[in-house]
Amino acid sequence: MPLRDTSADHAATDRTFQVDLRGLVDLLSHHLYSSPRVYLRELLQNAVDALTARHAVEPHGDFGIRLYADGKVVRVEDDGVGLTEADVHTFLATIGRSSKRAERIAEQRADFIGQFGIGLLSCFLVADEIHVLSRSARTPDAPAVEWRGRGDGSYTVRTLPASARLRPGTTVTLTPRSDAGEWTRPQQVHALARHFGSLLRHPVTFDDGSGGAAAPVNPEPAPWARSFPTPGARSRALAAYGEEVFGFTPLDTIELDLPAVGLKGIACVLPEAVPAGRRHGHRVHVKGMLLSEQAEEILPEWAFFVRCVVDAESLRPTASRESLYEDATLAAVRDALAERLREWIARAAASDPDLLGRFLQTHHLAVKSLAVHDDEILRMLLPWLPFETTDGHTTLDEFARTHRTVLVTSSVEEFRQVAAIASAAGLGVVNGGYTYDRELVHRMPEIRPEVSVADLDPATLTAHLDPVDRETELAAAPYLAQARDALAVFDCDVALRTFQPASAPALLVDSREARHERTRSRLAREQEGGLWGDILGALRQEAPRAQLILNQLNPLVRTAVAIDEPELARTSAEALYGQAVMLSRRPLRPAESSLINRSFLDLLAHALRKDS
C-alpha cells in the first residue's frame, strides 16, 4: 500500500513497508524466482528501463550502464531518467496497487522490460540493505533523493542538499550478506551480467575495483543485427554464435525475423537425433534482456530438431520474468516461427539435396511427425523419407519404383515375422509399426497415384506360399495331427508349405489383434456365468487362430515330419513353434517360455539317450 509523502526538509525520515517484507522475500525466493542470481537481472532491467525513458526525453544522448563489484559492495549506475522524491514513494515504497492502476502503469510502460514493480525487492535475496541515489532528468532543478531500504521492513527517504551535484540517473548499491558470496563475487557478477545482458542495446561495462579498465559486458550487437560483407560470412557468424550459445555445431542455422512483434534470432538445427517428443528449452530475450533459457512454449512440439535464440520486443513475460505469458501474441509467434521452419525445409528440398539428405537422415522422425499434420510437407518430403522395408532401409520413392503394390504391417513384430519370407516371395512390405509410419505409408497414393497401399493380411502372405504335393502331405498327416494337438493350447494350427528361404524351418503367422481376440475368448470362458462373462460372451466371435507353417524345403522339417515316435514328434513341433515365436521377437508369454525350455531339454535328453 502507498505511504504518505516524506517531509520536504533534508532530514531522513524512518518509515516501514506496509507488508511483511521477510515473508515477501521468502515468497519471492521460493515461489517466484528460480535463483537469487536474478537480483542482478532485476537491477539491469531497472537501469535499461530508466535509459529507455531518458532517450524519450533526450533522443540523441549518449547514455549507458556501469557495474561495479569488489567483493564488498555491488553497485549499478545508470544515466537514465532518474527519480524524484514522489517517484521514490511511488516505485520504491509501494508494494501493492489496485488492479486498475496497475493496468494504467503497464500501458504507460509498454516500452519497458519490467512491468510489475517488485524487481528491486529481489535484491533482498542477497543483501540486507539497498541504497539508492537518484536525480531526475525530467526536472533539472529537482534535488537528488536518497532511499535506503532494510531487510527488517523499514526504509528512509532523504532529499539531498543542492550542493550534492549528482548528474541525472540512478545508482543502486548493495552490501551483500555473508551467505550471498556465491552471487556477489566480482567474477560472478561479471558472468551474470554477460549472461543476462549480452544482447542489451545500451552499453554496459563492468569494473572489479582492481584499478584496471572497465570491461565491456555487451561489446557487440547480436549477429543478426550486424552487417557482413557476404552471405557466407553472415551464415558462418550465425553458426558460430549458435555454437557459442548451445555448445554444438549446428547442422544449419535458420534466420528468424518477425517484424510484427520485433522478433529476430536464429534456429539451430541439431546435428544429432533426439527422442520423439523431447522438447528443448529455447533462449528468449525480451528487448535484449535474457528472459529464459528454457522457453519451450516459443515453438510447437514437433519442432524438437532445433534450438532457438531470439530477441523480441512484444512478447509478454510472466511475473517472475523467467518465462513467457501464454496469450494470443505468443500463439501467433509460435505459428509464424513454425512456418519459418517449414520454409527452410522447402528451400532445402528445392535447392540443397545434400543438406536435405543429412537433415532427413538425422531427423526423419521429426519430419514424419510434421508430415502427419502438414499436407504441404507431406507432398514435399514423403517420397524422400526413410522407412524399414523388405528391401532394407530405403525411401518410399525408391521402394515404389519396384513395388507398385505396397503392403504395410501394423506392428514391428509382424514385420519381423514375415520380412524374410515376403522378400523371397517378391512382396514389397513396409514396417508400419513405428510411430507415424503406417499412417504415412497409407498416404503414399496421394503423392504417387500409380502406387496402391494395403495392410498386410496373413492370407495375402500365405497365398504366396506354395502347397506341397498330395503324396507328401498325406505322408506328413500323422505328424501334422500330433503337432496340432501339441500346440492346441496356444490356439495354433499347423500347415506344411514350401517357401524361400529354405533356411527358414517355420513361419508363425499371427497378429496382435488375433492374440487379443483369443485372450478375450479365453476370459469369457473362464468368467462364464458371471456378469463379466455375459459381457464378453455378447462380444464373442470365432476366435482367429495363429498358424505355424512348416517349410518342406528345410532339411530339419523334412526329418521332423518323418518321425514316428509320438512323444518325439510332439517335442519337435513344440521346439519349431518356440523357435518361430522367438524369431518374431514379440514378448514371450509364460507358457511359451516354459515350452521352449522344456522342448530344448527333452530334445537334449533324447539325443543323449540315442548316443548312449
Side-chain angles (χ1 to χ4, degrees), residues 235-275:
S235 179
R236 287 189 294 273
L238 293 175
Y241 183 74
E243 184 171 4
E244 177 186 348
V245 170
F246 295 122
F248 62 81
T249 302
L251 188 66
D252 196 20
T253 55
I254 308 166
E255 195 157 359
L256 306 174
D257 187 5
L258 303 179
V261 292
L263 183 147
K264 290 181 178 291
I266 57 173
C268 297
V269 182
L270 291 160
E272 297 179 350
V274 294

Coordinates of all heavy atoms in Angstrom, one line a residue, residues 235-275:
S235 N 26.3 -16.3 -42.6 CA 26.0 -17.6 -42.2 C 27.0 -18.2 -41.2 O 26.6 -18.8 -40.2 CB 25.9 -18.5 -43.5 OG 25.5 -19.9 -43.1
R236 N 28.3 -18.0 -41.5 CA 29.3 -18.5 -40.6 C 29.2 -17.9 -39.2 O 29.4 -18.5 -38.2 CB 30.7 -18.4 -41.2 CG 30.9 -19.3 -42.3 CD 32.4 -19.2 -42.7 NE 32.8 -17.9 -43.3 CZ 32.6 -17.6 -44.6 NH1 32.1 -18.5 -45.5 NH2 33.0 -16.4 -45.0
A237 N 28.9 -16.5 -39.2 CA 28.8 -15.8 -37.9 C 27.6 -16.3 -37.1 O 27.7 -16.5 -35.9 CB 28.7 -14.3 -38.2
L238 N 26.5 -16.6 -37.8 CA 25.3 -17.1 -37.1 C 25.6 -18.5 -36.5 O 25.2 -18.8 -35.4 CB 24.1 -17.1 -38.0 CG 23.6 -15.7 -38.5 CD1 22.5 -15.9 -39.6 CD2 23.1 -14.9 -37.4
A239 N 26.2 -19.3 -37.3 CA 26.5 -20.7 -36.8 C 27.5 -20.6 -35.7 O 27.3 -21.4 -34.7 CB 27.1 -21.5 -38.0
A240 N 28.5 -19.7 -35.7 CA 29.4 -19.6 -34.6 C 28.7 -19.1 -33.3 O 29.0 -19.6 -32.2 CB 30.6 -18.6 -35.0
Y241 N 27.8 -18.2 -33.5 CA 27.0 -17.7 -32.3 C 26.2 -18.9 -31.7 O 26.1 -19.0 -30.5 CB 26.1 -16.6 -32.7 CG 25.4 -16.0 -31.6 CD1 26.0 -15.2 -30.6 CD2 24.0 -16.2 -31.4 CE1 25.3 -14.6 -29.5 CE2 23.3 -15.7 -30.3 CZ 24.0 -14.9 -29.4 OH 23.3 -14.4 -28.3
G242 N 25.5 -19.6 -32.6 CA 24.8 -20.8 -32.1 C 25.6 -21.8 -31.4 O 25.2 -22.3 -30.4
E243 N 26.8 -22.0 -31.9 CA 27.7 -23.0 -31.2 C 28.2 -22.4 -29.9 O 28.2 -23.1 -28.9 CB 28.9 -23.2 -32.1 CG 29.9 -24.3 -31.5 CD 31.0 -24.7 -32.5 OE1 31.1 -24.1 -33.6 OE2 31.8 -25.6 -32.1
E244 N 28.4 -21.1 -29.8 CA 28.8 -20.5 -28.5 C 27.7 -20.6 -27.5 O 27.9 -20.8 -26.3 CB 29.1 -19.0 -28.8 CG 29.5 -18.2 -27.5 CD 29.7 -16.7 -27.8 OE1 29.8 -16.3 -28.9 OE2 29.8 -16.0 -26.8
V245 N 26.4 -20.4 -27.9 CA 25.3 -20.3 -27.0 C 24.9 -21.8 -26.6 O 24.7 -22.0 -25.4 CB 24.1 -19.6 -27.7 CG1 22.8 -19.8 -26.8 CG2 24.4 -18.2 -27.8
F246 N 24.9 -22.7 -27.5 CA 24.3 -24.0 -27.2 C 25.3 -25.1 -27.1 O 25.0 -26.2 -26.6 CB 23.3 -24.4 -28.3 CG 22.1 -23.5 -28.4 CD1 21.8 -22.9 -29.6 CD2 21.3 -23.4 -27.3 CE1 20.6 -22.0 -29.6 CE2 20.2 -22.6 -27.4 CZ 19.8 -21.9 -28.5
G247 N 26.6 -24.9 -27.5 CA 27.6 -25.9 -27.3 C 27.7 -27.0 -28.3 O 28.3 -28.0 -28.1
F248 N 27.0 -26.8 -29.5 CA 27.1 -27.8 -30.6 C 27.2 -27.0 -31.9 O 26.8 -25.9 -32.0 CB 25.9 -28.8 -30.6 CG 24.6 -28.1 -30.8 CD1 24.2 -27.8 -32.1 CD2 23.7 -27.8 -29.8 CE1 22.9 -27.2 -32.3 CE2 22.5 -27.2 -30.0 CZ 22.1 -26.9 -31.3
T249 N 27.8 -27.7 -32.9 CA 27.9 -27.1 -34.2 C 26.6 -27.4 -35.0 O 26.3 -28.6 -35.2 CB 29.1 -27.7 -35.0 OG1 30.3 -27.5 -34.2 CG2 29.3 -27.1 -36.4
P250 N 25.8 -26.4 -35.3 CA 24.5 -26.7 -36.0 C 24.7 -27.3 -37.3 O 25.7 -27.1 -38.1 CB 23.9 -25.3 -36.1 CG 24.7 -24.4 -35.2 CD 26.1 -25.0 -35.1
L251 N 23.8 -28.2 -37.6 CA 23.7 -28.8 -39.0 C 23.4 -27.7 -40.0 O 23.9 -27.7 -41.1 CB 22.6 -29.8 -39.0 CG 22.4 -30.7 -40.3 CD1 23.7 -31.6 -40.5 CD2 21.2 -31.5 -40.2
D252 N 22.6 -26.7 -39.6 CA 22.4 -25.5 -40.3 C 21.7 -24.5 -39.4 O 21.3 -24.8 -38.3 CB 21.5 -25.8 -41.5 CG 21.5 -24.6 -42.6 OD1 22.5 -23.9 -42.5 OD2 20.5 -24.5 -43.4
T253 N 21.7 -23.2 -39.8 CA 21.1 -22.2 -39.0 C 20.0 -21.6 -39.8 O 20.1 -21.4 -41.0 CB 22.0 -21.1 -38.5 OG1 22.7 -20.5 -39.7 CG2 23.1 -21.6 -37.6
I254 N 18.9 -21.3 -39.2 CA 17.7 -20.7 -39.9 C 17.5 -19.3 -39.3 O 17.2 -19.2 -38.1 CB 16.4 -21.6 -39.6 CG1 16.7 -23.0 -40.0 CG2 15.3 -21.0 -40.4 CD1 15.7 -24.0 -39.5
E255 N 17.6 -18.3 -40.1 CA 17.4 -16.9 -39.5 C 15.9 -16.7 -39.4 O 15.1 -17.0 -40.2 CB 18.0 -15.9 -40.5 CG 18.2 -14.6 -39.9 CD 19.3 -13.7 -40.5 OE1 19.9 -14.2 -41.5 OE2 19.5 -12.6 -40.1
L256 N 15.6 -16.1 -38.2 CA 14.2 -15.8 -37.9 C 14.0 -14.3 -37.8 O 14.8 -13.6 -37.2 CB 13.9 -16.5 -36.5 CG 14.1 -18.0 -36.4 CD1 13.9 -18.4 -34.9 CD2 13.3 -18.8 -37.3
D257 N 12.9 -13.8 -38.4 CA 12.6 -12.4 -38.4 C 11.1 -12.2 -38.5 O 10.5 -12.6 -39.5 CB 13.3 -11.8 -39.6 CG 13.2 -10.2 -39.6 OD1 12.6 -9.7 -38.7 OD2 13.6 -9.6 -40.6
L258 N 10.5 -11.7 -37.5 CA 9.1 -11.4 -37.4 C 8.9 -9.9 -37.1 O 8.8 -9.6 -35.9 CB 8.4 -12.3 -36.4 CG 8.5 -13.8 -36.5 CD1 7.8 -14.5 -35.4 CD2 8.0 -14.3 -37.9
P259 N 8.9 -9.1 -38.1 CA 8.8 -7.6 -37.8 C 7.6 -7.2 -37.0 O 7.6 -6.2 -36.3 CB 8.8 -7.0 -39.2 CG 9.4 -8.1 -40.1 CD 9.0 -9.4 -39.5
A260 N 6.5 -7.9 -37.1 CA 5.2 -7.5 -36.5 C 5.4 -7.5 -34.9 O 4.8 -6.7 -34.3 CB 4.1 -8.5 -36.8
V261 N 6.3 -8.3 -34.4 CA 6.5 -8.4 -32.9 C 7.9 -8.0 -32.6 O 8.4 -8.1 -31.5 CB 6.2 -9.7 -32.3 CG1 4.7 -10.0 -32.4 CG2 6.9 -10.8 -33.0
G262 N 8.7 -7.5 -33.6 CA 10.1 -7.1 -33.4 C 10.9 -8.3 -33.0 O 11.8 -8.1 -32.1
L263 N 10.7 -9.4 -33.5 CA 11.5 -10.6 -33.2 C 12.5 -10.9 -34.2 O 12.3 -10.9 -35.4 CB 10.6 -11.8 -33.0 CG 11.2 -13.1 -32.6 CD1 10.2 -13.9 -31.7 CD2 11.7 -14.0 -33.7
K264 N 13.8 -11.1 -33.7 CA 14.9 -11.6 -34.6 C 15.6 -12.7 -33.9 O 15.6 -12.7 -32.6 CB 15.8 -10.4 -34.9 CG 15.2 -9.4 -35.9 CD 16.2 -8.3 -36.2 CE 15.7 -7.3 -37.2 NZ 15.6 -7.8 -38.5
G265 N 16.3 -13.5 -34.6 CA 17.1 -14.5 -34.0 C 17.4 -15.6 -34.9 O 17.3 -15.5 -36.2
I266 N 17.8 -16.8 -34.4 CA 18.2 -17.9 -35.2 C 17.6 -19.2 -34.6 O 17.5 -19.3 -33.4 CB 19.7 -18.1 -35.4 CG1 20.4 -18.2 -34.1 CG2 20.3 -16.9 -36.3 CD1 21.9 -18.5 -34.2
A267 N 17.4 -20.2 -35.5 CA 17.1 -21.6 -35.0 C 18.3 -22.4 -35.5 O 18.6 -22.4 -36.7 CB 15.8 -22.1 -35.6
C268 N 18.9 -23.2 -34.6 CA 20.0 -24.0 -34.9 C 19.5 -25.5 -35.0 O 18.9 -26.0 -34.0 CB 21.0 -23.9 -33.8 SG 21.7 -22.3 -33.6
V269 N 19.7 -26.1 -36.2 CA 19.3 -27.4 -36.4 C 20.3 -28.4 -35.7 O 21.5 -28.3 -35.9 CB 19.3 -27.8 -37.9 CG1 18.8 -29.2 -38.1 CG2 18.4 -26.8 -38.6
L270 N 19.8 -29.2 -34.8 CA 20.6 -30.1 -34.0 C 21.3 -31.1 -34.9 O 20.7 -31.6 -35.9 CB 19.8 -30.9 -33.0 CG 19.2 -30.0 -31.9 CD1 18.0 -30.7 -31.2 CD2 20.2 -29.7 -30.8
P271 N 22.6 -31.4 -34.7 CA 23.4 -32.3 -35.5 C 23.1 -33.8 -35.2 O 23.6 -34.6 -35.9 CB 24.8 -31.9 -35.2 CG 24.8 -31.4 -33.8 CD 23.5 -30.8 -33.6
E272 N 22.4 -34.1 -34.1 CA 22.1 -35.4 -33.7 C 20.6 -35.6 -33.5 O 19.9 -34.6 -33.1 CB 22.9 -35.8 -32.5 CG 24.4 -35.8 -32.7 CD 25.1 -36.2 -31.4 OE1 24.5 -36.2 -30.3 OE2 26.3 -36.4 -31.5
A273 N 20.1 -36.8 -33.7 CA 18.7 -37.1 -33.5 C 18.4 -37.0 -32.0 O 19.2 -37.3 -31.1 CB 18.3 -38.4 -34.0
V274 N 17.1 -36.6 -31.7 CA 16.7 -36.6 -30.3 C 15.4 -37.4 -30.2 O 14.7 -37.6 -31.2 CB 16.4 -35.2 -29.8 CG1 17.6 -34.3 -29.8 CG2 15.4 -34.5 -30.7
P275 N 15.1 -38.0 -29.0 CA 13.9 -38.8 -28.9 C 12.6 -38.0 -29.3 O 12.5 -36.8 -29.0 CB 13.9 -39.2 -27.4 CG 15.3 -39.0 -27.0 CD 15.9 -37.9 -27.8

